Amino acid sequence: MGKVHPKADISVDRIKTGDKVIISNDIARHGIAIMSVREGLEFESDIESDTCHFNTIIEQLLEDFGKGIHFLRDATRGGLSTILNEVSKSLLKGIAIHQKDIVVDESVAGACELLGLDPLYVANEGVFVAFVEASIADQVVQKLKNWENGIHAAVIGEVIDGHPGQVVLHSQIGGRRVVNMLVGEQLPRIC
Protein backbone atom coordinates (compact mmCIF):
# COMPACT_ATOMS: atom_id res chain seq x y z
CA MET A 1 0.00 0.00 0.00
CA GLY A 2 2.76 2.48 0.80
CA LYS A 3 4.96 3.70 3.59
CA VAL A 4 4.55 6.26 6.34
CA HIS A 5 6.36 9.53 5.70
CA PRO A 6 9.42 9.70 8.02
CA LYS A 7 8.38 13.12 9.37
CA ALA A 8 4.76 12.12 9.99
CA ASP A 9 3.54 11.67 13.53
CA ILE A 10 -0.17 12.23 13.05
CA SER A 11 -2.61 11.12 15.72
CA VAL A 12 -5.52 12.68 17.58
CA ASP A 13 -3.56 11.98 20.78
CA ARG A 14 -0.90 14.49 19.70
CA ILE A 15 -3.36 17.42 19.70
CA LYS A 16 -2.79 19.74 22.65
CA THR A 17 -4.20 22.89 24.17
CA GLY A 18 -3.16 25.89 22.10
CA ASP A 19 -3.01 24.03 18.79
CA LYS A 20 -4.54 25.94 15.91
CA VAL A 21 -7.30 24.51 13.73
CA ILE A 22 -6.79 25.09 10.01
CA ILE A 23 -9.11 24.36 7.09
CA SER A 24 -7.56 23.94 3.67
CA ASN A 25 -10.23 25.84 1.70
CA ASP A 26 -13.83 27.11 1.70
CA ILE A 27 -16.47 24.66 2.87
CA ALA A 28 -19.74 23.04 1.69
CA ARG A 29 -19.26 23.28 -2.09
CA HIS A 30 -19.27 19.53 -2.73
CA GLY A 31 -22.42 18.76 -0.80
CA ILE A 32 -24.37 21.60 -2.38
CA ALA A 33 -23.09 20.71 -5.88
CA ILE A 34 -24.22 17.10 -5.47
CA MET A 35 -27.54 18.06 -3.90
CA SER A 36 -28.33 20.52 -6.68
CA VAL A 37 -27.73 17.89 -9.37
CA ARG A 38 -29.63 15.17 -7.50
CA GLU A 39 -32.62 17.31 -6.74
CA GLY A 40 -32.60 19.22 -10.04
CA LEU A 41 -32.10 22.53 -8.25
CA GLU A 42 -30.82 25.48 -10.23
CA PHE A 43 -29.00 28.41 -8.72
CA GLU A 44 -27.91 31.68 -10.32
CA SER A 45 -24.38 30.38 -10.69
CA ASP A 46 -23.01 26.90 -11.25
CA ILE A 47 -21.72 25.42 -8.02
CA GLU A 48 -18.94 22.94 -8.68
CA SER A 49 -17.66 20.25 -6.34
CA ASP A 50 -14.39 20.91 -4.53
CA THR A 51 -13.13 17.39 -5.29
CA CYS A 52 -9.34 17.21 -5.46
CA HIS A 53 -6.46 15.06 -4.24
CA PHE A 54 -4.33 15.87 -1.21
CA ASN A 55 -1.30 13.63 -1.72
CA THR A 56 1.11 16.27 -3.05
CA ILE A 57 0.18 19.05 -0.63
CA ILE A 58 0.21 16.75 2.40
CA GLU A 59 3.65 15.48 1.45
CA GLN A 60 4.87 19.08 1.12
CA LEU A 61 3.37 20.02 4.48
CA LEU A 62 5.05 17.04 6.14
CA GLU A 63 8.37 17.89 4.51
CA ASP A 64 8.21 21.51 5.68
CA PHE A 65 6.54 21.17 9.09
CA GLY A 66 6.87 17.50 10.11
CA LYS A 67 5.96 16.84 13.71
CA GLY A 68 4.42 20.32 14.07
CA ILE A 69 1.40 18.86 12.27
CA HIS A 70 -0.40 16.92 14.96
CA PHE A 71 -3.52 15.69 13.14
CA LEU A 72 -5.06 15.73 9.66
CA ARG A 73 -8.52 14.67 8.55
CA ASP A 74 -10.70 15.16 5.48
CA ALA A 75 -13.99 16.99 6.00
CA THR A 76 -16.24 14.70 4.00
CA ARG A 77 -18.96 12.93 6.00
CA GLY A 78 -20.82 15.26 8.34
CA GLY A 79 -18.74 18.24 7.28
CA LEU A 80 -16.50 20.41 9.40
CA SER A 81 -18.67 20.23 12.52
CA THR A 82 -18.53 16.44 12.74
CA ILE A 83 -14.73 16.29 12.58
CA LEU A 84 -14.33 18.98 15.21
CA ASN A 85 -16.84 17.28 17.51
CA GLU A 86 -15.19 13.88 17.12
CA VAL A 87 -11.81 15.37 17.99
CA SER A 88 -13.15 17.41 20.91
CA LYS A 89 -14.98 14.45 22.44
CA SER A 90 -11.98 12.17 21.93
CA LEU A 91 -9.59 14.61 23.64
CA LEU A 92 -12.03 15.91 26.25
CA LYS A 93 -10.86 19.40 25.34
CA GLY A 94 -12.80 22.28 23.91
CA ILE A 95 -12.47 23.72 20.44
CA ALA A 96 -13.28 27.37 19.79
CA ILE A 97 -13.93 28.34 16.16
CA HIS A 98 -14.54 31.75 14.65
CA GLN A 99 -17.28 32.17 12.05
CA LYS A 100 -15.58 35.18 10.44
CA ASP A 101 -12.61 32.97 9.47
CA ILE A 102 -14.61 30.14 7.87
CA VAL A 103 -15.04 30.92 4.18
CA VAL A 104 -18.25 29.83 2.46
CA ASP A 105 -18.64 30.78 -1.20
CA GLU A 106 -21.44 33.31 -1.66
CA SER A 107 -23.42 31.02 -4.00
CA VAL A 108 -23.01 28.08 -1.62
CA ALA A 109 -24.07 30.20 1.36
CA GLY A 110 -27.15 31.34 -0.57
CA ALA A 111 -28.05 27.77 -1.50
CA CYS A 112 -27.61 26.64 2.11
CA GLU A 113 -29.85 29.45 3.30
CA LEU A 114 -32.49 28.61 0.69
CA LEU A 115 -32.42 24.92 1.64
CA GLY A 116 -32.22 25.50 5.40
CA LEU A 117 -28.79 23.88 5.73
CA ASP A 118 -25.89 24.89 7.95
CA PRO A 119 -22.65 24.91 5.87
CA LEU A 120 -20.77 23.52 8.89
CA TYR A 121 -22.59 20.20 8.37
CA VAL A 122 -22.43 19.97 4.58
CA ALA A 123 -20.05 17.42 3.03
CA ASN A 124 -16.75 18.45 1.46
CA GLU A 125 -14.66 16.37 -0.86
CA GLY A 126 -11.63 18.62 -1.32
CA VAL A 127 -11.18 20.11 2.16
CA PHE A 128 -9.14 18.86 5.07
CA VAL A 129 -8.70 20.00 8.65
CA ALA A 130 -5.28 20.25 10.28
CA PHE A 131 -4.42 20.66 13.96
CA VAL A 132 -0.97 22.23 14.18
CA GLU A 133 1.36 23.87 16.67
CA ALA A 134 0.45 27.53 17.05
CA SER A 135 3.98 28.62 16.11
CA ILE A 136 3.68 27.24 12.56
CA ALA A 137 0.00 27.96 11.84
CA ASP A 138 0.53 31.06 9.71
CA GLN A 139 3.23 29.34 7.67
CA VAL A 140 0.99 26.31 7.07
CA VAL A 141 -1.83 28.59 5.90
CA GLN A 142 0.52 30.42 3.54
CA LYS A 143 1.72 27.12 2.08
CA LEU A 144 -1.89 26.07 1.54
CA LYS A 145 -2.79 29.42 -0.09
CA ASN A 146 0.00 28.82 -2.63
CA TRP A 147 -1.65 25.48 -3.56
CA GLU A 148 -4.26 25.71 -6.32
CA ASN A 149 -6.94 24.14 -4.10
CA GLY A 150 -6.17 26.12 -0.96
CA ILE A 151 -6.96 29.70 -1.88
CA HIS A 152 -9.27 30.15 1.11
CA ALA A 153 -7.16 28.26 3.67
CA ALA A 154 -7.42 29.78 7.13
CA VAL A 155 -6.84 29.36 10.82
CA ILE A 156 -10.40 29.02 12.08
CA GLY A 157 -9.89 28.29 15.76
CA GLU A 158 -7.91 26.72 18.54
CA VAL A 159 -7.94 23.90 21.06
CA ILE A 160 -8.74 25.12 24.58
CA ASP A 161 -9.16 23.65 28.04
CA GLY A 162 -12.59 25.27 28.53
CA HIS A 163 -15.88 23.50 27.68
CA PRO A 164 -14.29 20.03 27.36
CA GLY A 165 -15.84 17.82 24.69
CA GLN A 166 -17.61 20.73 22.99
CA VAL A 167 -17.11 22.90 19.93
CA VAL A 168 -18.12 26.53 20.41
CA LEU A 169 -18.61 28.90 17.48
CA HIS A 170 -17.91 32.60 18.01
CA SER A 171 -20.36 34.26 15.62
CA GLN A 172 -19.71 37.29 13.45
CA ILE A 173 -22.00 39.39 15.63
CA GLY A 174 -20.24 38.51 18.88
CA GLY A 175 -22.44 35.68 20.12
CA ARG A 176 -21.49 32.12 20.89
CA ARG A 177 -23.20 28.81 20.25
CA VAL A 178 -22.39 25.17 20.72
CA VAL A 179 -21.88 23.34 17.43
CA ASN A 180 -23.22 19.83 17.96
CA MET A 181 -22.67 16.64 16.01
CA LEU A 182 -24.83 16.19 12.94
CA VAL A 183 -27.90 14.19 13.87
CA GLY A 184 -29.02 11.87 11.08
CA GLU A 185 -28.01 12.27 7.44
CA GLN A 186 -27.92 15.71 5.89
CA LEU A 187 -26.83 14.42 2.50
CA PRO A 188 -27.22 10.80 1.38
CA ARG A 189 -23.98 8.85 1.03
CA ILE A 190 -22.60 9.27 -2.47
CA CYS A 191 -19.13 7.83 -2.36
Side-chain angles (χ1 to χ4, degrees), residues 54-84:
F54 301 143
N55 56 338
T56 304
I57 190 63
I58 297 297
E59 187 173 9
Q60 291 172 10
L61 291 173
L62 290 172
E63 281 296 325
D64 291 352
F65 306 108
K67 296 188 187 306
I69 299 172
H70 295 160
F71 187 67
L72 294 166
R73 174 96 182 270
D74 72 332
T76 304
R77 300 297 302 154
L80 177 62
S81 66
T82 297
I83 291 165
L84 297 178

Side-chain angles (χ1 to χ4, degrees), residues 12 52 70 73 78 89 98 102 157 173:
V12 72
C52 68
H70 295 160
R73 174 96 182 270
K89 286 173 182 16
H98 308 279
I102 302 169
I173 60 171

Side-chain angles (χ1 to χ4, degrees), residues 25-30 48-52 123-127 149:
N25 211 359
D26 58 303
I27 63 169
R29 276 193 290 135
H30 178 73
E48 294 183 7
S49 173
D50 58 11
T51 302
C52 68
N124 305 276
E125 195 64 35
V127 175
N149 297 306

Side-chain angles (χ1 to χ4, degrees), residues 4 7-16 19 62 66-73 87 90-91 130-132:
V4 175
K7 293 185 177 180
D9 190 6
I10 297 168
S11 167
V12 72
D13 297 333
R14 294 202 59 240
I15 298 171
K16 61 183 190 282
D19 278 2
L62 290 172
K67 296 188 187 306
I69 299 172
H70 295 160
F71 187 67
L72 294 166
R73 174 96 182 270
V87 168
S90 174
L91 294 173
F131 288 78
V132 305

